[in-house]
Amino acid sequence: MNAPTGQRASPERELPSFLPQARLTLRPPTFPPGPVSGAWWPRSDDLAAELPALIEAFDTSWGRVTRMTAHRDTWRQAPCDLPVDGHTVRAAWLTSGFDPHCVRLFAYGVGRRDLLVVPPGTTETAAQRLMSAAADPAHHLTASALLAL
C-alpha cells in the first residue's frame, strides 16, 4: 500500500468567499523544466496576507505546500512560520544567492515550484505580459531576467 504524499483536492473545488483568488499563471509541465514554473502577482507586499490564497491554489491542484523560500528584501515582514488554512508553511529567508523576484514553494513528496513574483504595484498590462512570459515554455529565463524584458 502506498503512503499518501500530500493532500490533494479536486481542482474544481471553489475557494472560500473570504479568500481572494491568487493571481497566478503556471507553465505546462516541460522537460527540462524552466527556471520558473509560472508567475504570481500578489496584491501587496504583506506576505502573511497574500500567502493563504497562493497556498490554497497549490494545495487544491498540486499538493500541500509545507515550505517556501523567498528573498528577505522582497517582503516587508519575514516570519518563519506562516499560518495558512489548516496548516503552517515553514519559511526560509535568504539574502544572497536567491533571486529577489522569485518565491519557491515545496510540497512534500511532490517537488518544488519557483514562481516569478510580479511586483504588487505593476500595471495590469505589464503584469499580464510578465505572467504570460513566465508561463511560456519557450522561455528559459530567471525571474529577474523576465522582469528585465
Side-chain angles (χ1 to χ4, degrees), residues 27-79:
R27 70 187 315 161
T30 58
F31 186 83
V36 295
S37 303
W40 173 44
W41 185 23
R43 290 169 175 82
S44 74
D45 65 352
D46 182 355
L47 189 62
E50 297 293 333
L51 192 65
L54 178 64
I55 297 304
E56 177 69 20
F58 277 96
D59 280 358
T60 59
S61 64
W62 181 53
R64 177 167 271 191
V65 175
T66 57
R67 293 181 299 134
M68 64 148 298
T69 300
H71 198 279
R72 182 173 298 281
D73 295 337
T74 304
W75 304 97
R76 65 181 156 131
Q77 294 180 330

Side-chain angles (χ1 to χ4, degrees), residues 97-146:
F98 191 79
D99 192 322
H101 304 289
C102 186
V103 65
R104 180 172 290 161
L105 304 176
F106 298 89
Y108 181 76
V110 180
R112 82 175 204 212
R113 296 276 175 105
D114 291 1
L115 300 173
L116 161 68
V117 177
V118 177
T122 305
T123 66
E124 178 86 25
T125 302
Q128 291 303 324
R129 180 185 53 79
L130 287 166
M131 293 178 80
S132 293
D136 186 344
H139 287 151
H140 293 282
L141 302 171
T142 65
S144 288
L146 284 164

